Structure formats: structure tokens, C-alpha cells
Amino acid sequence: MAEEPQVIYVLRIIFEIIWMILRLNLEIIKALFRVVVPQDRKDVTGDIVLVTGAGHGMGREIATRFGKLGAKVVCVDINSKGNEETVSLIKKNKGEAYAYICDVTDRAAVMQLAEKVEKDVGQVDILVNNAGIMPCKPVLKQTEKEIRATMEINVNGNLWMIQAFLPAMLDRNSGHIVAMSSMAGKMGLRNLVPYCGSKYAVRGIMESLAVELHEDPRNTNGIKFTTICPYIVNTGLCHNPRIRFEAVMKTVDPGDAADQIVDAVLREYHEITIPSDMYYSNKVFNLFPPSAGMILTDFIGTGLDPHE
């Protein structure tokens, strides 16, 4: 094959640069437009929504809201009692729900779960990877068991669920994967070193998964991704929140957080923070050098004190 003439190569690169700039500007305009005019909420009536960690806290709040919207909710938790309570709440509100017990750290069990759910209920349309734990103490006081459990549940649990449910989404080019990261996945916080690491990992998983599917030769445009980064939500995990300016940075009510999470999924947002203004304030914070960031952190005085 003859080598491409240098002048043709240069012209081709110039054309690609111009085309890239035009496409970038179009996407920026579309994003700005969506800030003013949000995307319409999609209808999930009859869709199968699977929520891990559905037996309590945010998982329960999210599951019950999807139930009210007419979705078939698959509640997954390792705690059978709490999980059944969530299912009962959904059914009490005329919703349709199913309970499955599964340890998301057990890959074989997760694969069996996927087969059973598809057989019993159908193929999952929306996967909400919510299950997680949050040991809160200085890193040198966290036990090996606590650190391993944090990584197994918060990180590997996401990966096993993706491996189990993504193939069917790829086959039909349709689906939505939702991951619960945290503001602790955007900034480091005292007493949460392993937890922060796990939530940074969740964001990395979601970002790289989106890139991987974008570069897949198959058409994968029908598969959506949403990463949720909440601030301190009053679900019981945060026993000792420390907030200097409570009027500005108060803890978030679980119900309010769940409303924003479900809304983000229905509008197919790529990533949100709760509260929403933290999305932009965090970007500004990251413009500062690390030493200046520490000064801001000291002034804001927000975080979590250790607890057992």
C-alpha cells in the first residue's frame, strides 16, 4: 500500500480538528440548553428496576419511589427482613415488587441472581447499584476486615452486578446503570480514607465503562449511565456529622435525596451531586493548589467525626 502523501495527511488532520471543534461546540450548546430546559422525564411504567441495598436507607427510599411510578421493582439485599419490609411498602402502595436475597460481594451468587431475576421477572431495564457500607474512623484504626468489606461491597459489588446485567442490555441496546458514589468520591475526608477510595473507584468505574461502550463497535447508544454523588444524607450511616455552617451545608433528608436521584435517572443525567450546587463548587475547589484547598477545608469545617 502506497504511503499517504504528507500534504494529504496534513489536510486530513486539519479537517479532523475543524470537525472536532464543531462537534465540541454543538455539545456545549446542547448542554447549556439542557441547563435552562431540562430533558423530559422518561416513563418507567412496566420497566424492571433492580435496587441493591433495598432493605433500608437510600435503597428503600429509591425502591419505593420507583414502585409509585409503576415500575416493577426488584429489591435485593443481604438482610431478608428489611428487604421484605421494603417490598411490603411498595405493594401497600399498589406497586409491584419482588424480594431477592444476595450478597453482592459473591460473584457466583450475583450471576445466579441475574439468571433468576430474568426467569422470574424479566430483563432488568434500570440497575441501581446502591449497596454500600461506611466505616468511619481514622485509617490506622480501621481493621483489615472493615477495609476489605468496604472494598468488596462498595467496589467489587458494583463490578459483579455490571458483569451480570450489562450483557442483556448490550444484546438489546437498551438499559440504564446507576451508581451511588458520594461527595466523598470527589474530595478526601477525614475518618473516611477507605470509603473515599471506594467511592472514587465507583466514579472511575462508571466513567471508564461509558468510554468502553462508546468505543465498542456495536451500537450502544441506548445504554445510559448515571452517577450519584450525595453529600451527608441522614440515613443512619452518618452518626457524627460535623457541620460548621448548618444554614448553608445542612444534612440532606433521605426523602429529598431519593427524589433528586430518581429525577436524575428519569432525565438520564450523567452525574449529579446532592445538593446540586456542589457540582460546580467542587469544580472551583479543584482549581486551587492542594495547600490552598486545605485552608478552604479548615474554614468550611465540614466532615464526619469517628464512630464505632
Side-chain angles (χ1 to χ4, degrees), residues 203-240:
R203 287 183 57 236
I205 288 167
M206 292 294 282
E207 288 182 13
S208 54
L209 181 59
V211 171
E212 183 166 295
L213 265 62
H214 171 72
E215 296 180 357
D216 194 295
R218 294 168 290 183
N219 182 10
T220 61
N221 290 334
I223 301 174
K224 308 301 180 182
F225 303 96
T226 299
T227 303
I228 310 295
C229 298
Y231 176 59
I232 302 173
V233 181
N234 187 23
T235 60
L237 283 178
C238 307
H239 295 289
N240 298 317

mmCIF file of all heavy atoms in Angstrom, residues 203-240:
data_model
loop_
_atom_site.group_PDB
_atom_site.id
_atom_site.type_symbol
_atom_site.label_atom_id
_atom_site.label_comp_id
_atom_site.label_asym_id
_atom_site.label_seq_id
_atom_site.Cartn_x
_atom_site.Cartn_y
_atom_site.Cartn_z
ATOM 1 N N ARG A 203 -16.797 6.122 40.791
ATOM 2 C CA ARG A 203 -16.826 7.117 39.713
ATOM 3 C C ARG A 203 -15.920 6.699 38.559
ATOM 4 O O ARG A 203 -16.260 6.853 37.385
ATOM 5 C CB ARG A 203 -16.404 8.494 40.237
ATOM 6 C CG ARG A 203 -17.464 9.164 41.109
ATOM 7 C CD ARG A 203 -17.042 10.556 41.552
ATOM 8 N NE ARG A 203 -16.739 11.406 40.415
ATOM 9 C CZ ARG A 203 -15.582 12.038 40.216
ATOM 10 N NH1 ARG A 203 -14.594 11.882 41.084
ATOM 11 N NH2 ARG A 203 -15.402 12.798 39.174
ATOM 12 N N GLY A 204 -14.761 6.147 38.894
ATOM 13 C CA GLY A 204 -13.850 5.686 37.857
ATOM 14 C C GLY A 204 -14.435 4.545 37.043
ATOM 15 O O GLY A 204 -14.280 4.494 35.813
ATOM 16 N N ILE A 205 -15.117 3.644 37.719
ATOM 17 C CA ILE A 205 -15.773 2.524 37.035
ATOM 18 C C ILE A 205 -16.804 3.048 36.051
ATOM 19 O O ILE A 205 -16.870 2.617 34.891
ATOM 20 C CB ILE A 205 -16.429 1.582 38.060
ATOM 21 C CG1 ILE A 205 -15.352 0.802 38.823
ATOM 22 C CG2 ILE A 205 -17.407 0.618 37.384
ATOM 23 C CD1 ILE A 205 -15.868 0.076 40.056
ATOM 24 N N MET A 206 -17.631 3.976 36.498
ATOM 25 C CA MET A 206 -18.699 4.489 35.642
ATOM 26 C C MET A 206 -18.148 5.290 34.458
ATOM 27 O O MET A 206 -18.626 5.167 33.326
ATOM 28 C CB MET A 206 -19.663 5.338 36.468
ATOM 29 C CG MET A 206 -20.466 4.531 37.485
ATOM 30 S SD MET A 206 -21.606 3.360 36.716
ATOM 31 C CE MET A 206 -22.927 4.487 36.237
ATOM 32 N N GLU A 207 -17.135 6.116 34.705
ATOM 33 C CA GLU A 207 -16.563 6.916 33.628
ATOM 34 C C GLU A 207 -15.885 6.033 32.583
ATOM 35 O O GLU A 207 -16.056 6.229 31.371
ATOM 36 C CB GLU A 207 -15.562 7.934 34.198
ATOM 37 C CG GLU A 207 -16.217 9.072 34.964
ATOM 38 C CD GLU A 207 -15.210 10.091 35.480
ATOM 39 O OE1 GLU A 207 -14.042 10.031 35.032
ATOM 40 O OE2 GLU A 207 -15.581 10.919 36.329
ATOM 41 N N SER A 208 -15.117 5.046 33.041
ATOM 42 C CA SER A 208 -14.407 4.178 32.101
ATOM 43 C C SER A 208 -15.366 3.240 31.383
ATOM 44 O O SER A 208 -15.157 2.904 30.209
ATOM 45 C CB SER A 208 -13.314 3.382 32.821
ATOM 46 O OG SER A 208 -13.832 2.679 33.924
ATOM 47 N N LEU A 209 -16.437 2.825 32.056
ATOM 48 C CA LEU A 209 -17.434 1.973 31.410
ATOM 49 C C LEU A 209 -18.124 2.727 30.278
ATOM 50 O O LEU A 209 -18.366 2.170 29.191
ATOM 51 C CB LEU A 209 -18.466 1.496 32.433
ATOM 52 C CG LEU A 209 -19.574 0.573 31.917
ATOM 53 C CD1 LEU A 209 -18.987 -0.700 31.318
ATOM 54 C CD2 LEU A 209 -20.552 0.238 33.043
ATOM 55 N N ALA A 210 -18.425 3.997 30.506
ATOM 56 C CA ALA A 210 -19.038 4.819 29.452
ATOM 57 C C ALA A 210 -18.107 4.948 28.248
ATOM 58 O O ALA A 210 -18.544 4.865 27.099
ATOM 59 C CB ALA A 210 -19.399 6.199 30.004
ATOM 60 N N VAL A 211 -16.804 5.130 28.513
ATOM 61 C CA VAL A 211 -15.831 5.224 27.425
ATOM 62 C C VAL A 211 -15.725 3.893 26.686
ATOM 63 O O VAL A 211 -15.683 3.840 25.454
ATOM 64 C CB VAL A 211 -14.446 5.646 27.967
ATOM 65 C CG1 VAL A 211 -13.385 5.543 26.879
ATOM 66 C CG2 VAL A 211 -14.493 7.061 28.523
ATOM 67 N N GLU A 212 -15.686 2.809 27.448
ATOM 68 C CA GLU A 212 -15.563 1.483 26.835
ATOM 69 C C GLU A 212 -16.730 1.193 25.895
ATOM 70 O O GLU A 212 -16.533 0.673 24.785
ATOM 71 C CB GLU A 212 -15.477 0.414 27.922
ATOM 72 C CG GLU A 212 -15.266 -0.999 27.412
ATOM 73 C CD GLU A 212 -14.846 -1.945 28.508
ATOM 74 O OE1 GLU A 212 -13.735 -1.763 29.061
ATOM 75 O OE2 GLU A 212 -15.622 -2.865 28.829
ATOM 76 N N LEU A 213 -17.937 1.530 26.323
ATOM 77 C CA LEU A 213 -19.101 1.281 25.463
ATOM 78 C C LEU A 213 -19.151 2.254 24.299
ATOM 79 O O LEU A 213 -19.610 1.895 23.208
ATOM 80 C CB LEU A 213 -20.391 1.351 26.281
ATOM 81 C CG LEU A 213 -20.900 -0.017 26.778
ATOM 82 C CD1 LEU A 213 -19.888 -0.679 27.700
ATOM 83 C CD2 LEU A 213 -22.238 0.126 27.472
ATOM 84 N N HIS A 214 -18.662 3.472 24.514
ATOM 85 C CA HIS A 214 -18.600 4.444 23.421
ATOM 86 C C HIS A 214 -17.695 3.933 22.293
ATOM 87 O O HIS A 214 -17.985 4.138 21.104
ATOM 88 C CB HIS A 214 -18.081 5.783 23.936
ATOM 89 C CG HIS A 214 -17.777 6.785 22.867
ATOM 90 N ND1 HIS A 214 -18.760 7.433 22.143
ATOM 91 C CD2 HIS A 214 -16.589 7.244 22.382
ATOM 92 C CE1 HIS A 214 -18.198 8.245 21.266
ATOM 93 N NE2 HIS A 214 -16.888 8.146 21.389
ATOM 94 N N GLU A 215 -16.614 3.259 22.664
ATOM 95 C CA GLU A 215 -15.659 2.769 21.673
ATOM 96 C C GLU A 215 -15.985 1.357 21.191
ATOM 97 O O GLU A 215 -15.273 0.813 20.350
ATOM 98 C CB GLU A 215 -14.250 2.818 22.264
ATOM 99 C CG GLU A 215 -13.786 4.242 22.574
ATOM 100 C CD GLU A 215 -12.388 4.310 23.157
ATOM 101 O OE1 GLU A 215 -11.780 3.242 23.373
ATOM 102 O OE2 GLU A 215 -11.896 5.437 23.391
ATOM 103 N N ASP A 216 -17.051 0.768 21.710
ATOM 104 C CA ASP A 216 -17.462 -0.562 21.269
ATOM 105 C C ASP A 216 -17.985 -0.484 19.832
ATOM 106 O O ASP A 216 -18.731 0.438 19.496
ATOM 107 C CB ASP A 216 -18.570 -1.081 22.201
ATOM 108 C CG ASP A 216 -18.837 -2.564 22.034
ATOM 109 O OD1 ASP A 216 -19.291 -2.960 20.938
ATOM 110 O OD2 ASP A 216 -18.598 -3.332 22.984
ATOM 111 N N PRO A 217 -17.606 -1.412 18.970
ATOM 112 C CA PRO A 217 -18.068 -1.352 17.575
ATOM 113 C C PRO A 217 -19.575 -1.533 17.420
ATOM 114 O O PRO A 217 -20.157 -1.128 16.413
ATOM 115 C CB PRO A 217 -17.306 -2.503 16.897
ATOM 116 C CG PRO A 217 -16.902 -3.413 18.018
ATOM 117 C CD PRO A 217 -16.670 -2.525 19.197
ATOM 118 N N ARG A 218 -20.203 -2.128 18.426
ATOM 119 C CA ARG A 218 -21.659 -2.263 18.379
ATOM 120 C C ARG A 218 -22.325 -0.922 18.704
ATOM 121 O O ARG A 218 -21.712 -0.046 19.286
ATOM 122 C CB ARG A 218 -22.132 -3.324 19.382
ATOM 123 C CG ARG A 218 -21.686 -4.734 19.073
ATOM 124 C CD ARG A 218 -21.930 -5.663 20.253
ATOM 125 N NE ARG A 218 -21.023 -5.358 21.366
ATOM 126 C CZ ARG A 218 -20.986 -6.053 22.501
ATOM 127 N NH1 ARG A 218 -21.816 -7.072 22.677
ATOM 128 N NH2 ARG A 218 -20.131 -5.727 23.446
ATOM 129 N N ASN A 219 -23.586 -0.787 18.347
ATOM 130 C CA ASN A 219 -24.350 0.400 18.704
ATOM 131 C C ASN A 219 -24.772 0.285 20.162
ATOM 132 O O ASN A 219 -25.565 -0.584 20.525
ATOM 133 C CB ASN A 219 -25.581 0.537 17.802
ATOM 134 C CG ASN A 219 -26.377 1.795 18.128
ATOM 135 O OD1 ASN A 219 -25.925 2.651 18.899
ATOM 136 N ND2 ASN A 219 -27.549 1.915 17.549
ATOM 137 N N THR A 220 -24.227 1.145 21.010
ATOM 138 C CA THR A 220 -24.533 1.092 22.446
ATOM 139 C C THR A 220 -25.179 2.386 22.935
ATOM 140 O O THR A 220 -25.230 2.637 24.138
ATOM 141 C CB THR A 220 -23.250 0.831 23.256
ATOM 142 O OG1 THR A 220 -22.320 1.913 23.031
ATOM 143 C CG2 THR A 220 -22.595 -0.475 22.841
ATOM 144 N N ASN A 221 -25.678 3.197 22.014
ATOM 145 C CA ASN A 221 -26.248 4.497 22.388
ATOM 146 C C ASN A 221 -27.480 4.376 23.281
ATOM 147 O O ASN A 221 -27.868 5.339 23.946
ATOM 148 C CB ASN A 221 -26.615 5.294 21.133
ATOM 149 C CG ASN A 221 -25.391 5.758 20.365
ATOM 150 O OD1 ASN A 221 -24.320 5.921 20.954
ATOM 151 N ND2 ASN A 221 -25.524 5.961 19.063
ATOM 152 N N GLY A 222 -28.112 3.200 23.284
ATOM 153 C CA GLY A 222 -29.317 3.021 24.085
ATOM 154 C C GLY A 222 -29.053 2.721 25.550
ATOM 155 O O GLY A 222 -29.990 2.615 26.342
ATOM 156 N N ILE A 223 -27.783 2.588 25.929
ATOM 157 C CA ILE A 223 -27.434 2.294 27.319
ATOM 158 C C ILE A 223 -26.968 3.578 27.993
ATOM 159 O O ILE A 223 -26.044 4.239 27.522
ATOM 160 C CB ILE A 223 -26.349 1.211 27.398
ATOM 161 C CG1 ILE A 223 -26.853 -0.072 26.716
ATOM 162 C CG2 ILE A 223 -25.981 0.921 28.850
ATOM 163 C CD1 ILE A 223 -25.817 -1.156 26.611
ATOM 164 N N LYS A 224 -27.618 3.932 29.096
ATOM 165 C CA LYS A 224 -27.347 5.189 29.786
ATOM 166 C C LYS A 224 -26.648 4.930 31.122
ATOM 167 O O LYS A 224 -26.751 3.853 31.705
ATOM 168 C CB LYS A 224 -28.650 5.954 30.036
ATOM 169 C CG LYS A 224 -29.519 6.136 28.788
ATOM 170 C CD LYS A 224 -28.798 6.882 27.690
ATOM 171 C CE LYS A 224 -29.676 7.044 26.449
ATOM 172 N NZ LYS A 224 -28.962 7.729 25.355
ATOM 173 N N PHE A 225 -25.962 5.963 31.606
ATOM 174 C CA PHE A 225 -25.228 5.868 32.872
ATOM 175 C C PHE A 225 -25.518 7.100 33.720
ATOM 176 O O PHE A 225 -25.530 8.221 33.203
ATOM 177 C CB PHE A 225 -23.722 5.778 32.621
ATOM 178 C CG PHE A 225 -23.320 4.628 31.747
ATOM 179 C CD1 PHE A 225 -23.132 4.817 30.385
ATOM 180 C CD2 PHE A 225 -23.156 3.362 32.269
ATOM 181 C CE1 PHE A 225 -22.770 3.769 29.567
ATOM 182 C CE2 PHE A 225 -22.796 2.301 31.461
ATOM 183 C CZ PHE A 225 -22.596 2.497 30.108
ATOM 184 N N THR A 226 -25.730 6.880 35.006
ATOM 185 C CA THR A 226 -25.927 7.994 35.934
ATOM 186 C C THR A 226 -25.137 7.714 37.205
ATOM 187 O O THR A 226 -25.296 6.656 37.819
ATOM 188 C CB THR A 226 -27.409 8.180 36.298
ATOM 189 O OG1 THR A 226 -28.162 8.477 35.110
ATOM 190 C CG2 THR A 226 -27.583 9.323 37.290
ATOM 191 N N THR A 227 -24.298 8.662 37.598
ATOM 192 C CA THR A 227 -23.532 8.548 38.842
ATOM 193 C C THR A 227 -24.055 9.589 39.826
ATOM 194 O O THR A 227 -24.169 10.775 39.491
ATOM 195 C CB THR A 227 -22.031 8.778 38.590
ATOM 196 O OG1 THR A 227 -21.572 7.834 37.613
ATOM 197 C CG2 THR A 227 -21.236 8.580 39.872
ATOM 198 N N ILE A 228 -24.363 9.128 41.030
ATOM 199 C CA ILE A 228 -24.942 9.992 42.068
ATOM 200 C C ILE A 228 -23.886 10.274 43.138
ATOM 201 O O ILE A 228 -23.260 9.352 43.658
ATOM 202 C CB ILE A 228 -26.163 9.315 42.731
ATOM 203 C CG1 ILE A 228 -27.148 8.784 41.682
ATOM 204 C CG2 ILE A 228 -26.842 10.273 43.696
ATOM 205 C CD1 ILE A 228 -27.798 9.844 40.831
ATOM 206 N N CYS A 229 -23.711 11.554 43.468
ATOM 207 C CA CYS A 229 -22.724 11.943 44.486
ATOM 208 C C CYS A 229 -23.411 12.758 45.583
ATOM 209 O O CYS A 229 -23.410 14.001 45.540
ATOM 210 C CB CYS A 229 -21.601 12.755 43.851
ATOM 211 S SG CYS A 229 -20.663 11.859 42.596
ATOM 212 N N PRO A 230 -24.005 12.087 46.571
ATOM 213 C CA PRO A 230 -24.684 12.830 47.642
ATOM 214 C C PRO A 230 -23.695 13.376 48.673
ATOM 215 O O PRO A 230 -22.619 12.822 48.893
ATOM 216 C CB PRO A 230 -25.600 11.778 48.287
ATOM 217 C CG PRO A 230 -25.501 10.562 47.413
ATOM 218 C CD PRO A 230 -24.205 10.650 46.696
ATOM 219 N N TYR A 231 -24.111 14.443 49.304
ATOM 220 C CA TYR A 231 -23.420 14.994 50.478
ATOM 221 C C TYR A 231 -23.882 14.160 51.677
ATOM 222 O O TYR A 231 -24.346 13.032 51.499
ATOM 223 C CB TYR A 231 -23.794 16.478 50.584
ATOM 224 C CG TYR A 231 -23.268 17.228 51.778
ATOM 225 C CD1 TYR A 231 -21.907 17.318 52.022
ATOM 226 C CD2 TYR A 231 -24.148 17.872 52.647
ATOM 227 C CE1 TYR A 231 -21.426 18.028 53.116
ATOM 228 C CE2 TYR A 231 -23.676 18.584 53.730
ATOM 229 C CZ TYR A 231 -22.310 18.652 53.966
ATOM 230 O OH TYR A 231 -21.844 19.358 55.042
ATOM 231 N N ILE A 232 -23.793 14.665 52.872
ATOM 232 C CA ILE A 232 -24.173 13.905 54.059
ATOM 233 C C ILE A 232 -25.691 13.724 54.093
ATOM 234 O O ILE A 232 -26.440 14.679 54.289
ATOM 235 C CB ILE A 232 -23.697 14.603 55.348
ATOM 236 C CG1 ILE A 232 -22.173 14.784 55.315
ATOM 237 C CG2 ILE A 232 -24.106 13.794 56.570
ATOM 238 C CD1 ILE A 232 -21.633 15.616 56.471
ATOM 239 N N VAL A 233 -26.142 12.479 53.892
ATOM 240 C CA VAL A 233 -27.569 12.159 53.912
ATOM 241 C C VAL A 233 -27.897 11.509 55.255
ATOM 242 O O VAL A 233 -27.196 10.597 55.705
ATOM 243 C CB VAL A 233 -27.950 11.218 52.754
ATOM 244 C CG1 VAL A 233 -29.449 10.926 52.773
ATOM 245 C CG2 VAL A 233 -27.557 11.833 51.418
ATOM 246 N N ASN A 234 -28.955 11.940 55.863
ATOM 247 C CA ASN A 234 -29.320 11.475 57.200
ATOM 248 C C ASN A 234 -30.017 10.111 57.150
ATOM 249 O O ASN A 234 -31.207 9.984 57.425
ATOM 250 C CB ASN A 234 -30.226 12.517 57.874
ATOM 251 C CG ASN A 234 -30.505 12.191 59.330
ATOM 252 O OD1 ASN A 234 -29.749 11.473 59.971
ATOM 253 N ND2 ASN A 234 -31.593 12.736 59.843
ATOM 254 N N THR A 235 -29.241 9.074 56.801
ATOM 255 C CA THR A 235 -29.805 7.723 56.683
ATOM 256 C C THR A 235 -29.422 6.817 57.844
ATOM 257 O O THR A 235 -29.863 5.677 57.914
ATOM 258 C CB THR A 235 -29.326 7.055 55.386
ATOM 259 O OG1 THR A 235 -27.892 6.973 55.397
ATOM 260 C CG2 THR A 235 -29.790 7.828 54.175
ATOM 261 N N GLY A 236 -28.569 7.288 58.736
ATOM 262 C CA GLY A 236 -28.104 6.441 59.829
ATOM 263 C C GLY A 236 -26.651 6.040 59.674
ATOM 264 O O GLY A 236 -25.997 5.669 60.658
ATOM 265 N N LEU A 237 -26.109 6.096 58.462
ATOM 266 C CA LEU A 237 -24.692 5.786 58.252
ATOM 267 C C LEU A 237 -23.811 6.878 58.855
ATOM 268 O O LEU A 237 -22.738 6.607 59.376
ATOM 269 C CB LEU A 237 -24.384 5.647 56.764
ATOM 270 C CG LEU A 237 -24.800 4.341 56.082
ATOM 271 C CD1 LEU A 237 -24.445 4.408 54.599
ATOM 272 C CD2 LEU A 237 -24.123 3.142 56.723
ATOM 273 N N CYS A 238 -24.282 8.125 58.765
ATOM 274 C CA CYS A 238 -23.504 9.268 59.261
ATOM 275 C C CYS A 238 -23.907 9.565 60.696
ATOM 276 O O CYS A 238 -24.822 10.353 60.952
ATOM 277 C CB CYS A 238 -23.733 10.494 58.376
ATOM 278 S SG CYS A 238 -23.436 10.200 56.623
ATOM 279 N N HIS A 239 -23.219 8.942 61.645
ATOM 280 C CA HIS A 239 -23.623 9.080 63.051
ATOM 281 C C HIS A 239 -23.180 10.413 63.656
ATOM 282 O O HIS A 239 -23.874 10.980 64.493
ATOM 283 C CB HIS A 239 -23.034 7.931 63.877
ATOM 284 C CG HIS A 239 -23.563 6.583 63.500
ATOM 285 N ND1 HIS A 239 -24.848 6.179 63.781
ATOM 286 C CD2 HIS A 239 -22.989 5.550 62.839
ATOM 287 C CE1 HIS A 239 -25.040 4.950 63.331
ATOM 288 N NE2 HIS A 239 -23.923 4.550 62.744
ATOM 289 N N ASN A 240 -22.005 10.901 63.256
ATOM 290 C CA ASN A 240 -21.458 12.097 63.884
ATOM 291 C C ASN A 240 -21.051 13.152 62.854
ATOM 292 O O ASN A 240 -19.863 13.456 62.703
ATOM 293 C CB ASN A 240 -20.236 11.730 64.750
ATOM 294 C CG ASN A 240 -20.594 10.784 65.879
ATOM 295 O OD1 ASN A 240 -21.604 10.955 66.540
ATOM 296 N ND2 ASN A 240 -19.758 9.780 66.088
#
